[in-house]
């Protein structure tokens, strides 16, 4: 039976960062993963170019039952640290928008960086190596398809339930519950909304059209694009809102963010009193969207004939359009899993469990969920580095 200082279950972003950090500190490290290759979610992220961090990452861009938990790890391994690593490996990158950093070439550059760092630390990485049994003791013991191994420190970096076709499983969450750790109920996040059939019937032929909106949900607001789909609403604004949405709650959209509709109508009707509202709205919204809103929710009259009641209704439907999603598309298309292992069970400095010495949980399996735009990868790097420095 082979013994290691550290065994990490999960060869994703957090697991490989942890392995490289620990290996370069002189620890003997083994990484095992049931998949046939490492970093699958990295490879498909960002449209294949990996949005590997964000220039503006900070605690305010994360959701957790404890909003302070991630501060320690994020402060000790910042976006600037990972950017420096990317530059040291000569990987070209660019800022897309709002601080989002992407590889110029392919996401495999980031996987290559992580594997190179692991090689520098003498880390062993074994794929096609599912864990069939696990005992948390001193030492910890795992049984795998390639045999049994023991270790002094065991790190769970198995991710969440999102995108099961990439090999995602509930292994880490199930393990935590089996060990008596509290796991907060999970659900899909950063995921498109589905709409009730009646509402979808009014909007379905808008599929593929994008609109700049401000989305408000659960006390949070995001000014980005919304995309009509055959099943409901997607796009960055909707994905962000999904992290704060709870089943049965409503989402509110401002379809004309930054525009004073009443002032715009008043100014236009002085010169164009016979202009219909839908044609005026067509200057600020995709024409098909303007037509659809006027067909179902907004009075379409010549501007000169719009009453005070008409204007109030138009403002309500365009600045505060509220709907109740029927649900989301679920883990199949979700970018992340919301909630997970309760942070009260872990040290914020090391990610070690308080009840089981030498056992660590890092990355997506923990109740820390970032906003869209590279923040979740930064949590993977930061939490992996925190545990890798401690094991």
């Amino acid at each position: 039976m082979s013994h290691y200082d550290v065994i990490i279950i999960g060869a994703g972003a957090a697991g490989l960062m942890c392995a490289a950090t620990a290996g370069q500190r002189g620890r003997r490290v083994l990484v095992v993963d049931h998949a046939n290759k490492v970093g699958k979610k990295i490879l498909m992220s960002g449209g294949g170019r990996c949005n590997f961090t964000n220039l503006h990452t900070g605690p305010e861009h994360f959701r957790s039952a404890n909003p302070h938990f991630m501060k320690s790890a994020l402060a000790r391994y910042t976006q600037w640290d990972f950017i420096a690593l990317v530059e040291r490996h000569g990987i070209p990158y660019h800022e897309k928008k709002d601080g989002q950093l992407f590889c110029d070439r392919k996401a495999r550059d980031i996987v290559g960086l992580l594997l190179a760092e692991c090689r520098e630390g003498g880390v062993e990485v074994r794929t096609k190596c599912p864990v069939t049994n696990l005992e948390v003791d001193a030492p910890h013991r795992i049984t795998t398809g390639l045999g049994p191994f023991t270790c002094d420190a065991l790190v769970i970096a198995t991710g969440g339930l999102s995108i099961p076709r990439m090999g995602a499983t509930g292994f880490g969450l199930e393990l935590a519950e089996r060990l008596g750790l509290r796991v907060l109920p999970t659900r899909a996040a950063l995921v498109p909304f589905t709409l009730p059939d009646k509402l979808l019937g009014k909007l379905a032929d808008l599929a593929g059209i994008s609109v700049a909106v401000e989305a408000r949900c659960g006390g949070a607001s995001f000014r980005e694009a919304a995309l009509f789909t055959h099943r409901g609403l997607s796009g960055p604004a909707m994905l962000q809102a999904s992290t704060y949405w709870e089943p049965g709650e409503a989402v509110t959209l401002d379809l004309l963010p930054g525009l004073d509709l009443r002032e715009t109508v008043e100014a236009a009707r002085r010169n164009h009193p016979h202009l219909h509202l839908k044609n005026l709205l067509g200057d600020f919204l995709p024409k098909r969207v303007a037509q659809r809103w006027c067909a179902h929710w907004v009075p379409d009259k010549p501007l000169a004939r719009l009453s005070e009641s008409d204007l109030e209704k138009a403002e309500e439907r365009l600045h505060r359009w509220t709907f109740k999603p029927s649900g989301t598309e679920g883990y199949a298309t979700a970018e992340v899993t919301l909630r997970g292992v309760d942070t009260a069970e872990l040290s914020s400095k090391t990610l070690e469990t308080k009840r089981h010495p030498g056992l660590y949980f890092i990355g997506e399996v923990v109740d820390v969920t970032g906003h869209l735009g590279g923040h979740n990868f930064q949590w993977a790097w930061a939490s992996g580095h925190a545990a890798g420095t401690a094991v």
Side-chain angles (χ1 to χ4, degrees):
M1 183 183 299
S2 297
H3 182 82
Y4 292 83
D5 297 319
V6 185
I7 292 178
I8 299 165
I9 304 177
L16 292 175
M17 173 58 83
C18 180
T21 303
Q24 291 179 27
R25 292 177 54 242
R27 302 296 188 262
R28 186 177 180 221
V29 181
L30 170 67
V31 180
V32 298
D33 198 297
H34 71 285
N36 60 352
K37 61 183 176 181
V38 305
K40 280 191 168 184
K41 284 187 74 173
I42 299 174
L43 292 170
M44 59 81 66
S45 67
R49 292 199 173 183
C50 187
N51 179 193
F52 57 82
T53 193
N54 192 296
L55 295 175
H56 310 305
T57 288
E60 69 277 11
H61 291 290
F62 292 86
R63 187 176 186 192
S64 172
N66 178 358
H68 303 290
F69 178 82
M70 74 292 296
K71 290 180 177 179
S72 176
L74 290 173
R76 287 182 295 117
Y77 192 86
T78 70
Q79 60 269 46
W80 310 110
D81 293 313
F82 195 76
I83 291 167
L85 185 61
V86 168
E87 292 177 344
R88 182 159 65 83
H89 282 261
I91 297 173
Y93 65 91
H94 61 278
E95 180 183 356
K96 192 170 182 180
K97 67 169 187 173
D98 301 328
Q100 300 173 16
L101 300 187
F102 288 77
C103 298
D104 285 355
R105 297 183 302 231
K106 295 291 185 181
R108 64 173 175 265
D109 286 348
I110 298 299
V111 175
L113 174 157
L114 294 168
L115 290 176
E117 290 292 308
C118 284
R119 285 193 295 272
E120 186 176 327
V123 174
E124 294 181 44
V125 180
R126 304 195 186 190
T127 55
K128 300 180 183 177
C129 186
V131 175
T132 56
N133 192 39
L134 187 152
E135 298 172 22
V136 175
D137 207 337
H140 308 301
R141 174 189 172 115
I142 67 170
T143 304
T144 75
L146 298 177
F149 304 97
T150 60
C151 61
D152 299 316
L154 179 62
V155 182
I156 309 303
T158 49
L161 298 164
S162 56
I163 318 184
R165 70 179 185 278
M166 303 297 293
T169 72
F171 179 93
L173 300 170
E174 292 162 6
L175 171 64
E177 289 184 323
R178 180 163 66 83
L179 295 175
L181 304 181
R182 186 181 182 212
V183 175
L184 303 181
T186 61
R187 64 172 175 78
L190 295 183
V191 61
F193 287 114
T194 55
L195 295 177
D197 290 342
K198 185 176 180 180
L199 178 56
L200 189 60
K202 296 177 179 179
L203 302 174
D205 66 345
L206 297 179
I209 295 178
S210 180
V211 182
V213 303
E214 181 176 318
R216 296 186 289 274
C217 181
S221 65
F222 301 94
R223 187 178 287 196
E224 295 195 64
L227 176 70
F228 294 96
T229 74
H230 291 292
R231 299 184 65 187
L233 285 164
S234 186
M238 297 294 94
L239 299 188
Q240 299 277 41
S242 73
T243 300
Y244 292 83
W245 177 77
E246 296 292 342
E249 290 185 351
V251 177
T252 298
L253 297 188
D254 183 347
L255 296 167
L256 300 170
L259 181 77
D260 187 318
L261 178 62
R262 184 179 293 265
E263 184 180 280
T264 301
V265 169
E266 293 291 349
R269 70 178 163 187
R270 284 195 292 269
N271 297 318
H272 306 285
H274 303 297
L275 181 69
H276 274 245
L277 180 58
K278 70 180 177 184
N279 294 323
L280 175 62
L281 292 175
D283 291 337
F284 305 100
L285 292 168
K287 285 184 170 49
R288 283 169 58 194
V289 174
Q291 291 167 358
R292 186 52 42 85
W293 249 250
C294 286
H296 292 293
W297 299 297
V298 178
D300 182 32
K301 300 177 181 179
L303 301 184
R305 291 176 51 200
L306 289 173
S307 66
E308 179 65 21
S309 175
D310 291 334
L311 286 173
E312 289 177 358
K313 188 173 183 180
E315 285 184 312
E316 185 69 20
R317 293 298 190 172
L318 289 162
H319 284 309
R320 295 176 294 279
W321 182 58
T322 300
F323 65 94
K324 283 189 177 182
S326 58
T328 71
E329 293 187 3
Y331 292 117
T333 59
E335 296 201 13
V336 293
T337 302
L338 185 68
R339 306 190 184 103
V341 177
D342 190 345
T343 57
E345 300 282 3
L346 309 173
S347 161
S348 62
K349 182 177 181 181
T350 66
L351 282 297
E352 184 178 19
T353 60
K354 296 174 181 179
R355 304 192 201 189
H356 302 283
L359 176 66
Y360 301 73
F361 286 81
I362 61 175
E364 189 181 349
V365 73
V366 178
D367 174 34
V368 175
T369 303
H371 291 171
L372 195 69
H375 303 288
N376 284 296
F377 271 124
Q378 187 57 40
W379 169 244
W381 314 139
S383 61
H385 184 269
T389 302
V391 292

